[in-house]
Amino acid sequence: MKPTTLDEAMALTKKFTERPSNEELLKLYGLYKQATEGDNTGERPGGFDFKAAAKYNSWLSLKGKSQEEATQEYIDFVGNLSEKYI
């Protein structure tokens, strides 16, 4: 099943029977944040919070991408992952 909206894609991720790889999860996070909030303008996480820093960097890497484009990429990426994890 290929999602057509952000809400459908989000719902589909909850049906995954396996956990995606860390790289896939970071890509999902970055695309979702860019799609819903636009460019990352927050402060970089401090020191040894590696998970927060990775999430921050994933979102920051999408700076300048339109929310519409990020939304479509998120939907397409979830559709591809669903073939692997459902």
mmCIF file of all heavy atoms in Angstrom, residues 28-57:
data_model
loop_
_atom_site.group_PDB
_atom_site.id
_atom_site.type_symbol
_atom_site.label_atom_id
_atom_site.label_comp_id
_atom_site.label_asym_id
_atom_site.label_seq_id
_atom_site.Cartn_x
_atom_site.Cartn_y
_atom_site.Cartn_z
ATOM 1 N N LEU A 28 13.727 9.484 8.072
ATOM 2 C CA LEU A 28 12.302 9.706 8.357
ATOM 3 C C LEU A 28 12.118 10.915 9.258
ATOM 4 O O LEU A 28 11.257 11.766 9.010
ATOM 5 C CB LEU A 28 11.686 8.474 9.043
ATOM 6 C CG LEU A 28 11.336 7.291 8.174
ATOM 7 C CD1 LEU A 28 10.932 6.104 9.039
ATOM 8 C CD2 LEU A 28 10.234 7.643 7.195
ATOM 9 N N TYR A 29 12.926 11.007 10.303
ATOM 10 C CA TYR A 29 12.826 12.109 11.249
ATOM 11 C C TYR A 29 13.073 13.442 10.543
ATOM 12 O O TYR A 29 12.307 14.388 10.679
ATOM 13 C CB TYR A 29 13.826 11.918 12.397
ATOM 14 C CG TYR A 29 13.851 13.090 13.350
ATOM 15 C CD1 TYR A 29 12.912 13.197 14.371
ATOM 16 C CD2 TYR A 29 14.781 14.109 13.212
ATOM 17 C CE1 TYR A 29 12.918 14.283 15.233
ATOM 18 C CE2 TYR A 29 14.796 15.196 14.071
ATOM 19 C CZ TYR A 29 13.857 15.277 15.074
ATOM 20 O OH TYR A 29 13.852 16.356 15.919
ATOM 21 N N GLY A 30 14.182 13.524 9.805
ATOM 22 C CA GLY A 30 14.529 14.769 9.137
ATOM 23 C C GLY A 30 13.467 15.209 8.144
ATOM 24 O O GLY A 30 13.078 16.381 8.112
ATOM 25 N N LEU A 31 12.989 14.270 7.335
ATOM 26 C CA LEU A 31 11.956 14.610 6.354
ATOM 27 C C LEU A 31 10.664 15.041 7.032
ATOM 28 O O LEU A 31 10.013 15.999 6.599
ATOM 29 C CB LEU A 31 11.686 13.422 5.420
ATOM 30 C CG LEU A 31 12.743 13.160 4.358
ATOM 31 C CD1 LEU A 31 12.479 11.828 3.668
ATOM 32 C CD2 LEU A 31 12.796 14.299 3.339
ATOM 33 N N TYR A 32 10.295 14.347 8.109
ATOM 34 C CA TYR A 32 9.059 14.700 8.821
ATOM 35 C C TYR A 32 9.164 16.111 9.404
ATOM 36 O O TYR A 32 8.247 16.923 9.266
ATOM 37 C CB TYR A 32 8.755 13.682 9.922
ATOM 38 C CG TYR A 32 7.516 14.040 10.689
ATOM 39 C CD1 TYR A 32 6.259 13.774 10.166
ATOM 40 C CD2 TYR A 32 7.589 14.694 11.912
ATOM 41 C CE1 TYR A 32 5.108 14.136 10.850
ATOM 42 C CE2 TYR A 32 6.445 15.065 12.597
ATOM 43 C CZ TYR A 32 5.214 14.778 12.066
ATOM 44 O OH TYR A 32 4.076 15.151 12.733
ATOM 45 N N LYS A 33 10.277 16.403 10.062
ATOM 46 C CA LYS A 33 10.446 17.726 10.671
ATOM 47 C C LYS A 33 10.468 18.821 9.605
ATOM 48 O O LYS A 33 9.865 19.882 9.783
ATOM 49 C CB LYS A 33 11.728 17.769 11.513
ATOM 50 C CG LYS A 33 11.689 16.881 12.735
ATOM 51 C CD LYS A 33 10.654 17.317 13.739
ATOM 52 C CE LYS A 33 11.192 18.395 14.633
ATOM 53 N NZ LYS A 33 10.288 18.782 15.712
ATOM 54 N N GLN A 34 11.133 18.568 8.479
ATOM 55 C CA GLN A 34 11.182 19.558 7.414
ATOM 56 C C GLN A 34 9.793 19.755 6.811
ATOM 57 O O GLN A 34 9.387 20.879 6.514
ATOM 58 C CB GLN A 34 12.184 19.129 6.329
ATOM 59 C CG GLN A 34 12.462 20.184 5.279
ATOM 60 C CD GLN A 34 13.268 21.359 5.798
ATOM 61 O OE1 GLN A 34 13.932 21.255 6.814
ATOM 62 N NE2 GLN A 34 13.214 22.474 5.095
ATOM 63 N N ALA A 35 9.048 18.655 6.678
ATOM 64 C CA ALA A 35 7.699 18.724 6.104
ATOM 65 C C ALA A 35 6.732 19.470 7.015
ATOM 66 O O ALA A 35 5.863 20.198 6.546
ATOM 67 C CB ALA A 35 7.172 17.308 5.830
ATOM 68 N N THR A 36 6.877 19.295 8.322
ATOM 69 C CA THR A 36 5.903 19.870 9.246
ATOM 70 C C THR A 36 6.310 21.211 9.830
ATOM 71 O O THR A 36 5.454 22.002 10.224
ATOM 72 C CB THR A 36 5.592 18.898 10.400
ATOM 73 O OG1 THR A 36 6.812 18.588 11.088
ATOM 74 C CG2 THR A 36 4.947 17.620 9.881
ATOM 75 N N GLU A 37 7.631 21.484 9.895
ATOM 76 C CA GLU A 37 8.082 22.713 10.546
ATOM 77 C C GLU A 37 8.952 23.604 9.669
ATOM 78 O O GLU A 37 9.219 24.750 10.027
ATOM 79 C CB GLU A 37 8.853 22.373 11.830
ATOM 80 C CG GLU A 37 7.986 21.678 12.869
ATOM 81 C CD GLU A 37 8.734 21.435 14.167
ATOM 82 O OE1 GLU A 37 9.613 22.233 14.512
ATOM 83 O OE2 GLU A 37 8.425 20.430 14.826
ATOM 84 N N GLY A 38 9.430 23.090 8.544
ATOM 85 C CA GLY A 38 10.334 23.866 7.699
ATOM 86 C C GLY A 38 11.760 23.772 8.201
ATOM 87 O O GLY A 38 12.122 22.839 8.912
ATOM 88 N N ASP A 39 12.578 24.745 7.825
ATOM 89 C CA ASP A 39 14.005 24.714 8.158
ATOM 90 C C ASP A 39 14.248 24.664 9.664
ATOM 91 O O ASP A 39 13.534 25.285 10.445
ATOM 92 C CB ASP A 39 14.720 25.937 7.585
ATOM 93 C CG ASP A 39 14.884 25.875 6.073
ATOM 94 O OD1 ASP A 39 14.736 24.775 5.502
ATOM 95 O OD2 ASP A 39 15.162 26.930 5.473
ATOM 96 N N ASN A 40 15.291 23.919 10.022
ATOM 97 C CA ASN A 40 15.712 23.783 11.418
ATOM 98 C C ASN A 40 16.373 25.087 11.864
ATOM 99 O O ASN A 40 17.391 25.487 11.315
ATOM 100 C CB ASN A 40 16.705 22.623 11.524
ATOM 101 C CG ASN A 40 17.150 22.338 12.931
ATOM 102 O OD1 ASN A 40 16.939 23.137 13.832
ATOM 103 N ND2 ASN A 40 17.768 21.199 13.129
ATOM 104 N N THR A 41 15.778 25.746 12.842
ATOM 105 C CA THR A 41 16.351 26.995 13.358
ATOM 106 C C THR A 41 16.741 26.859 14.829
ATOM 107 O O THR A 41 17.104 27.841 15.459
ATOM 108 C CB THR A 41 15.334 28.151 13.218
ATOM 109 O OG1 THR A 41 14.139 27.805 13.923
ATOM 110 C CG2 THR A 41 15.017 28.423 11.761
ATOM 111 N N GLY A 42 16.656 25.639 15.358
ATOM 112 C CA GLY A 42 16.960 25.410 16.772
ATOM 113 C C GLY A 42 18.450 25.393 17.059
ATOM 114 O O GLY A 42 19.283 25.399 16.159
ATOM 115 N N GLU A 43 18.754 25.373 18.336
ATOM 116 C CA GLU A 43 20.141 25.295 18.789
ATOM 117 C C GLU A 43 20.655 23.864 18.633
ATOM 118 O O GLU A 43 19.936 22.910 18.885
ATOM 119 C CB GLU A 43 20.216 25.686 20.272
ATOM 120 C CG GLU A 43 19.928 27.142 20.553
ATOM 121 C CD GLU A 43 21.078 28.044 20.128
ATOM 122 O OE1 GLU A 43 22.248 27.697 20.366
ATOM 123 O OE2 GLU A 43 20.781 29.095 19.528
ATOM 124 N N ARG A 44 21.920 23.754 18.261
ATOM 125 C CA ARG A 44 22.552 22.436 18.152
ATOM 126 C C ARG A 44 22.649 21.819 19.555
ATOM 127 O O ARG A 44 23.031 22.502 20.493
ATOM 128 C CB ARG A 44 23.949 22.599 17.552
ATOM 129 C CG ARG A 44 24.730 21.307 17.476
ATOM 130 C CD ARG A 44 26.071 21.532 16.775
ATOM 131 N NE ARG A 44 26.182 20.635 15.650
ATOM 132 C CZ ARG A 44 25.691 20.797 14.437
ATOM 133 N NH1 ARG A 44 25.049 21.888 14.143
ATOM 134 N NH2 ARG A 44 25.831 19.896 13.501
ATOM 135 N N PRO A 45 22.271 20.534 19.686
ATOM 136 C CA PRO A 45 22.360 19.887 21.003
ATOM 137 C C PRO A 45 23.806 19.857 21.492
ATOM 138 O O PRO A 45 24.740 19.777 20.705
ATOM 139 C CB PRO A 45 21.856 18.469 20.747
ATOM 140 C CG PRO A 45 21.090 18.545 19.476
ATOM 141 C CD PRO A 45 21.708 19.659 18.680
ATOM 142 N N GLY A 46 23.958 19.896 22.785
ATOM 143 C CA GLY A 46 25.287 19.954 23.379
ATOM 144 C C GLY A 46 25.988 18.616 23.438
ATOM 145 O O GLY A 46 25.385 17.559 23.323
ATOM 146 N N GLY A 47 27.267 18.710 23.596
ATOM 147 C CA GLY A 47 28.229 17.668 23.875
ATOM 148 C C GLY A 47 27.966 16.235 23.540
ATOM 149 O O GLY A 47 28.175 15.807 22.431
ATOM 150 N N PHE A 48 27.509 15.479 24.524
ATOM 151 C CA PHE A 48 27.490 14.037 24.394
ATOM 152 C C PHE A 48 26.117 13.447 24.123
ATOM 153 O O PHE A 48 25.920 12.250 24.256
ATOM 154 C CB PHE A 48 28.099 13.397 25.650
ATOM 155 C CG PHE A 48 29.549 13.734 25.799
ATOM 156 C CD1 PHE A 48 29.953 14.722 26.671
ATOM 157 C CD2 PHE A 48 30.504 13.086 25.037
ATOM 158 C CE1 PHE A 48 31.296 15.053 26.802
ATOM 159 C CE2 PHE A 48 31.842 13.399 25.152
ATOM 160 C CZ PHE A 48 32.244 14.396 26.038
ATOM 161 N N ASP A 49 25.171 14.281 23.717
ATOM 162 C CA ASP A 49 23.849 13.775 23.351
ATOM 163 C C ASP A 49 23.883 13.409 21.866
ATOM 164 O O ASP A 49 23.417 14.148 21.010
ATOM 165 C CB ASP A 49 22.764 14.819 23.651
ATOM 166 C CG ASP A 49 21.365 14.231 23.573
ATOM 167 O OD1 ASP A 49 21.211 13.112 23.035
ATOM 168 O OD2 ASP A 49 20.429 14.891 24.041
ATOM 169 N N PHE A 50 24.490 12.247 21.581
ATOM 170 C CA PHE A 50 24.741 11.854 20.202
ATOM 171 C C PHE A 50 23.457 11.607 19.416
ATOM 172 O O PHE A 50 23.382 11.923 18.230
ATOM 173 C CB PHE A 50 25.635 10.607 20.161
ATOM 174 C CG PHE A 50 26.973 10.833 20.797
ATOM 175 C CD1 PHE A 50 27.342 10.144 21.938
ATOM 176 C CD2 PHE A 50 27.855 11.764 20.267
ATOM 177 C CE1 PHE A 50 28.580 10.358 22.534
ATOM 178 C CE2 PHE A 50 29.095 11.989 20.853
ATOM 179 C CZ PHE A 50 29.460 11.285 21.989
ATOM 180 N N LYS A 51 22.448 11.052 20.068
ATOM 181 C CA LYS A 51 21.183 10.789 19.383
ATOM 182 C C LYS A 51 20.522 12.105 18.965
ATOM 183 O O LYS A 51 20.093 12.255 17.817
ATOM 184 C CB LYS A 51 20.250 9.987 20.299
ATOM 185 C CG LYS A 51 18.946 9.597 19.664
ATOM 186 C CD LYS A 51 18.112 8.738 20.610
ATOM 187 C CE LYS A 51 16.779 8.376 20.011
ATOM 188 N NZ LYS A 51 15.973 7.575 20.924
ATOM 189 N N ALA A 52 20.465 13.054 19.875
ATOM 190 C CA ALA A 52 19.860 14.351 19.557
ATOM 191 C C ALA A 52 20.661 15.064 18.471
ATOM 192 O O ALA A 52 20.088 15.700 17.580
ATOM 193 C CB ALA A 52 19.765 15.215 20.808
ATOM 194 N N ALA A 53 21.990 14.952 18.523
ATOM 195 C CA ALA A 53 22.834 15.587 17.514
ATOM 196 C C ALA A 53 22.600 14.963 16.143
ATOM 197 O O ALA A 53 22.541 15.672 15.127
ATOM 198 C CB ALA A 53 24.304 15.473 17.909
ATOM 199 N N ALA A 54 22.456 13.650 16.082
ATOM 200 C CA ALA A 54 22.205 12.965 14.809
ATOM 201 C C ALA A 54 20.857 13.402 14.230
ATOM 202 O O ALA A 54 20.745 13.642 13.020
ATOM 203 C CB ALA A 54 22.242 11.453 15.005
ATOM 204 N N LYS A 55 19.838 13.498 15.074
ATOM 205 C CA LYS A 55 18.523 13.949 14.623
ATOM 206 C C LYS A 55 18.594 15.392 14.137
ATOM 207 O O LYS A 55 18.052 15.736 13.080
ATOM 208 C CB LYS A 55 17.502 13.796 15.754
ATOM 209 C CG LYS A 55 17.179 12.339 16.064
ATOM 210 C CD LYS A 55 16.430 12.170 17.359
ATOM 211 C CE LYS A 55 14.973 12.452 17.207
ATOM 212 N NZ LYS A 55 14.209 12.113 18.414
ATOM 213 N N TYR A 56 19.287 16.226 14.885
ATOM 214 C CA TYR A 56 19.459 17.635 14.517
ATOM 215 C C TYR A 56 20.125 17.737 13.140
ATOM 216 O O TYR A 56 19.670 18.471 12.261
ATOM 217 C CB TYR A 56 20.300 18.337 15.584
ATOM 218 C CG TYR A 56 20.599 19.789 15.284
ATOM 219 C CD1 TYR A 56 19.758 20.794 15.745
ATOM 220 C CD2 TYR A 56 21.718 20.148 14.544
ATOM 221 C CE1 TYR A 56 20.033 22.125 15.473
ATOM 222 C CE2 TYR A 56 21.995 21.473 14.269
ATOM 223 C CZ TYR A 56 21.150 22.461 14.736
ATOM 224 O OH TYR A 56 21.411 23.774 14.457
ATOM 225 N N ASN A 57 21.212 16.987 12.944
ATOM 226 C CA ASN A 57 21.952 17.025 11.687
ATOM 227 C C ASN A 57 21.123 16.497 10.520
ATOM 228 O O ASN A 57 21.216 17.015 9.410
ATOM 229 C CB ASN A 57 23.260 16.242 11.807
ATOM 230 C CG ASN A 57 24.260 16.939 12.704
ATOM 231 O OD1 ASN A 57 24.215 18.147 12.888
ATOM 232 N ND2 ASN A 57 25.162 16.164 13.279
#
